[in-house]
Amino acid sequence: MIRLSGFLFVAALILSGCAAPPPQLGPDGRPLPKAYKIGAADEGRITYSMIDGINALRAAKGVPPVTLNSQLTAAAATHSRDMAVQNRPWHFGSDGSSPILRVQRTGYTGRMLGENISETYETEVETLSAWMELPDTRAVVLDPAARDAGFAWYQEPNGKIWWTLVTGG
């Protein structure tokens, strides 16, 4: 009986070392968020999660859906990477380019209508939700003239994500 108790004590001691560490807490006492790491295999899922989310919101407002456009996506990808290089979220490129010029450079023949950007550690769903909270960025998502959309991101090694959505029609 003593051996069994000793064995169970040692087993419990070993297993207690395997328990997950408690979550790290921020200054407000709440758990810190976990980094949203994007892998190469996640690209299609994330892209279509955003486009499907946008189209669900547009449908709820009676607005026609947008279609993912490769040229607008190229403009969005260029800008996401460039914002990371500049280390600031803004609508102008390090070469002074505007969103309109970046879209023109891709050969898109439609009219560029809007651009939403974000610097965050959040998911694409949380980012879309944040865009819907502000009138200016919500207007880009729900613009009835938009027929095409480009969506891309760049994630830094530390986990920070630079999101860009471009719409056109």
Side-chain angles (χ1 to χ4, degrees):
M1 184 63 150
I2 293 176
R3 278 189 182 175
L4 180 58
S5 296
F7 174 75
L8 290 176
F9 175 75
V10 169
L13 189 60
I14 291 171
L15 289 176
S16 70
C18 297
Q24 290 183 315
L25 302 179
D28 60 358
R30 295 173 42 190
L32 292 173
K34 292 183 180 178
Y36 181 55
K37 288 292 187 177
I38 300 172
D42 298 324
E43 185 172 340
R45 178 189 59 78
I46 290 170
T47 298
Y48 287 102
S49 172
M50 177 61 83
I51 296 299
D52 290 346
I54 288 169
N55 283 333
L57 292 165
R58 291 173 66 85
K61 292 291 185 183
V63 180
V66 293
T67 301
L68 186 64
N69 179 280
S70 61
Q71 292 164 317
L72 294 179
T73 296
T78 297
H79 194 55
S80 290
R81 176 73 173 113
D82 192 46
M83 286 189 296
V85 169
Q86 296 181 71
N87 196 33
R88 64 178 168 180
W90 74 323
H91 294 282
F92 294 95
S94 57
D95 62 355
S97 62
S98 68
I100 294 170
L101 181 57
R102 285 191 299 276
V103 167
Q104 289 172 346
R105 287 176 180 168
T106 68
Y108 182 70
T109 57
R111 188 170 60 114
M112 184 269 184
L113 296 173
E115 179 181 72
N116 283 349
I117 59 174
S118 181
E119 168 196 18
T120 185
Y121 292 87
E122 296 177 335
T123 69
E124 68 282 359
V125 174
E126 292 167 312
T127 300
L128 179 56
S129 178
W131 286 339
M132 292 304 290
E133 290 176 11
L134 300 171
D136 291 345
T137 52
R138 181 176 51 247
V140 170
V141 172
L142 299 178
D143 184 348
R147 295 293 181 265
D148 301 314
F151 174 68
W153 65 89
Y154 175 78
Q155 185 168 39
E156 295 180 3
N158 68 5
K160 184 189 295 184
I161 307 168
W162 301 86
W163 301 102
T164 305
L165 170 70
V166 180
T167 59

